[in-house]
């Protein structure tokens, strides 16, 4: 395990000269509390993983990570605690600039521009937690919402389009 901080930035030029940079990490209680406060979770625990950063082309680096964490969020309906065990992968690419980009692969890895020649490893890991957490946590005992039949009939998003056909 390497000392890991959410502020960790790695000089892009240092990656590739001696092969890929690979290390495992485990966030301490303070960093977990910071993430919980930042993303308005009730708690973040046991966030750990393995990170590999490699140069995949001239002026292009890729960060691959496998991460696990336990989070607790508040149910959007009842306010009860909703625990969630996360296990996910991260794949992000960093480029020195976007001036010469000719094609964007919408199914490819997310691509970011380097920040002053540095890969923001800690920030990538932090953002990945928020992206992989349930967007609308729901406690299993929360009541099921009942659709309002009258309201559902009045919403007709394509009504104006059907008038154009007339």
């Amino acid at each position: 395990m390497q000392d890991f901080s959410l502020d960790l930035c790695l000089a892009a030029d240092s990656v590739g000269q001696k092969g890929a940079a690979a290390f495992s990490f485990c966030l301490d209680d303070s960093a977990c509390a910071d993430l919980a406060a930042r993303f308005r979770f009730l708690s973040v625990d046991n966030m750990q993983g393995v990170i590999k950063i490699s140069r995949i082309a001239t002026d292009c680096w890729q960060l691959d990570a496998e991460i696990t964490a336990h989070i607790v969020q508040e149910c959007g309906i009842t306010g009860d605690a909703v625990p969630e065990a996360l296990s996910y992968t991260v794949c992000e690419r960093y480029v020195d600039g976007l001036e010469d980009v000719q094609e964007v692969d919408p199914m490819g890895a997310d691509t970011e521009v380097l920040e002053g020649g540095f890969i923001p490893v800690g920030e990538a890991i932090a953002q990945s937690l928020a992206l992989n957490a349930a967007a609308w946590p729901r406690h299993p005992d929360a009541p099921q919402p009942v659709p309002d039949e009258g309201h559902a009939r009045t919403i007709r998003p394509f009504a104006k389009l059907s008038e154009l056909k007339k």
Side-chain angles (χ1 to χ4, degrees):
M1 297 265 181
Q2 174 172 324
D3 288 337
F4 186 83
S5 161
L6 294 173
D7 297 328
L8 176 65
C9 289
L10 189 63
D13 288 341
S14 69
V15 178
Q17 296 171 353
K18 300 176 185 174
F23 55 92
S24 59
F25 73 94
C26 183
L27 292 186
D28 62 20
D29 293 340
S30 174
C32 285
D34 289 347
L35 285 175
R38 176 178 174 181
F39 298 121
R40 297 187 180 136
F41 297 157
L42 298 177
S43 69
V44 174
D45 297 302
N46 199 28
M47 186 168 180
Q48 58 186 324
V50 177
I51 299 171
K52 178 183 174 189
I53 303 171
S54 52
R55 184 180 295 229
I56 59 171
T58 302
D59 296 333
C60 184
W61 296 262
Q62 183 163 304
L63 180 148
D64 292 296
E66 294 180 15
I67 300 172
T68 60
H70 292 89
I71 64 170
V72 179
Q73 296 187 75
E74 188 175 293
C75 174
I77 297 171
T78 65
D80 293 336
V82 180
E84 183 178 8
L86 299 173
S87 180
Y88 58 92
T89 60
V90 177
C91 181
E92 283 201 14
R93 289 193 179 148
Y94 295 89
V95 294
D96 205 14
L98 294 176
E99 299 84 31
D100 297 329
V101 174
Q102 308 250 333
E103 181 179 324
V104 175
D105 179 7
M107 302 307 287
D110 292 336
T111 303
E112 303 281 338
V113 177
L114 290 176
E115 298 175 4
F118 288 88
I119 299 170
V121 179
E123 183 60 20
I125 298 308
Q127 289 179 13
S128 73
L129 178 67
L131 292 172
N132 285 281
W136 304 101
R138 182 184 176 86
H139 193 275
D141 296 334
Q144 292 292 327
V146 178
D148 178 7
E149 291 295 325
H151 182 68
R153 279 185 254 153
T154 60
I155 297 174
R156 298 179 50 213
F158 298 105
K160 293 290 182 188
L161 290 175
S162 67
E163 290 176 17
L164 293 174
K165 291 175 68 177
K166 294 178 183 178

